[in-house]
Amino acid sequence: MTESTDAAPRDILLPDVEAEADDASAAPAERRRRPRSPRRRRTWIEGGTSVHHWGWELLGWAVLSLGAGLVAGAALNEFLPQPLGSTLSLLALWVAFAVPVLLAFRRSVPRALLRFRPLDLLYGLALGILLRIVQGWLDMAAGGTGAWPSYPTAGGALPSGWIFDELVAATVVGPVLEEFFFRGLILVAAYTAVRRLAGRGVAGFAATLVSTGLFVAAHALLVPAAWDQALSLALVGIVASLLVLLTGRIWAAVLMHVVYNGMWVALATVGTLLGGSSGPSLS
């Protein structure tokens, strides 16, 4: 009787113990078979490997390239006959923009910077139009007449180099190269360098200041600007910097700059064909 009563609980308990042992032995195999969730890679704003080699060195080379381009452009424009001098001057500046950007991107492309979202198109279009309207208000505040701008030509015809100088250079190539240089290179390098020392907030402010300051200075050295023109350029630089910092992408800033310059070209073209008076060019 004692053996039978002792055996009954063991018979009842043994299957459960064996099942637990089977579950324990199966658990590691199940964990091995379970797919791991992919690890999210950090964008350039958050740091990470994509901007590991970005910082003060790239920022310094970019500033040196900008200075060399400005000096070479001024020399070509001064000592060569026109319009060859102005064309070569512009090309020298484009090279100064493009070379450091290409070298930096060959080293590494900041993660998510080149992504495009449909919202970028909306940002670029809306802010480009708004900034051009603000530029018109500032021009009037500085004593402008508010008349449509036009190119300084005789007989109401467009300048002979209008297609290259305005439609291609000022509307497309110039804005794209400037944004990739001032925002895609200088802004990102300055932000990355300062973020390692002082955090994201200070880095965003410092990078915006450096990028916008160099952007305005480069334009002012090429063409002397009145206070309203300098302020308009500063607003373009600040808005473009904020777009890149807030979205992590560059295309909204590029499109905003294209729209901003393109609107002036369109207005000046219509104003010239209608015989309007000339206004300042900020492209």
Side-chain angles (χ1 to χ4, degrees), residues 4-274:
S4 62
T5 54
D6 290 339
R10 280 197 297 269
D11 292 340
I12 295 173
L13 293 175
L14 279 175
D16 293 336
V17 173
E18 292 174 357
E20 291 177 2
D22 292 341
D23 292 342
S25 62
E30 183 180 350
R31 283 196 296 268
R32 286 195 297 269
R33 290 193 301 267
R34 186 180 303 151
R36 294 183 179 180
S37 58
R39 184 179 178 182
R40 188 181 72 85
R41 295 186 297 177
R42 292 185 294 174
T43 64
W44 67 269
I45 295 179
E46 301 167 318
T49 57
S50 67
V51 287
H52 181 71
H53 299 290
W54 285 58
W56 298 115
E57 180 187 357
L58 280 183
L59 182 61
W61 283 115
V63 174
L64 286 175
S65 180
L66 176 62
L70 291 172
V71 171
L76 291 170
N77 192 48
E78 178 70 22
F79 297 111
L80 292 181
Q82 299 301 327
L84 177 62
S86 61
T87 301
L88 293 180
S89 172
L90 185 61
L91 292 176
L93 195 59
W94 286 355
V95 171
F97 289 155
V99 169
V101 171
L102 292 175
L103 293 177
F105 280 18
R106 184 179 180 183
R107 176 178 295 188
S108 64
V109 178
R111 186 169 294 118
L113 183 68
L114 300 183
R115 290 178 186 168
F116 177 79
R117 298 290 183 268
L119 198 58
D120 296 337
L121 184 61
L122 177 62
Y123 287 152
L125 183 62
L127 292 173
I129 294 173
L130 179 61
L131 286 171
R132 182 53 70 186
I133 293 174
V134 172
Q135 181 272 322
W137 292 340
L138 292 174
D139 179 54
M140 294 181 64
T145 63
W148 281 41
S150 65
Y151 298 108
T153 60
L158 294 174
S160 58
W162 176 85
I163 293 180
F164 175 78
D165 294 336
E166 303 298 329
L167 194 61
V168 175
T171 306
V172 180
V173 180
V176 172
L177 288 178
E178 287 179 16
E179 288 307 313
F180 269 87
F181 180 80
F182 288 105
R183 257 62 68 176
L185 174 54
I186 287 182
L187 179 80
V188 175
Y191 173 88
T192 302
V194 177
R195 181 188 57 79
R196 294 169 181 153
L197 301 175
R200 294 175 61 172
V202 176
F205 176 80
T208 300
L209 186 64
V210 170
S211 173
T212 303
L214 291 174
F215 177 72
V216 175
H219 282 78
L221 289 173
L222 289 173
V223 179
W227 70 265
D228 61 302
Q229 298 170 336
L231 182 55
S232 297
L233 288 168
L235 289 175
V236 171
I238 292 171
V239 171
S241 298
L242 291 177
L243 282 172
V244 175
L245 290 171
L246 293 176
T247 66
R249 305 182 300 271
I250 196 172
W251 294 113
V254 171
L255 291 169
M256 180 271 293
H257 202 156
V258 168
V259 171
Y260 179 81
N261 282 15
M263 281 192 65
W264 193 93
V265 171
L267 292 173
T269 300
V270 174
T272 300
L273 296 177
L274 295 177

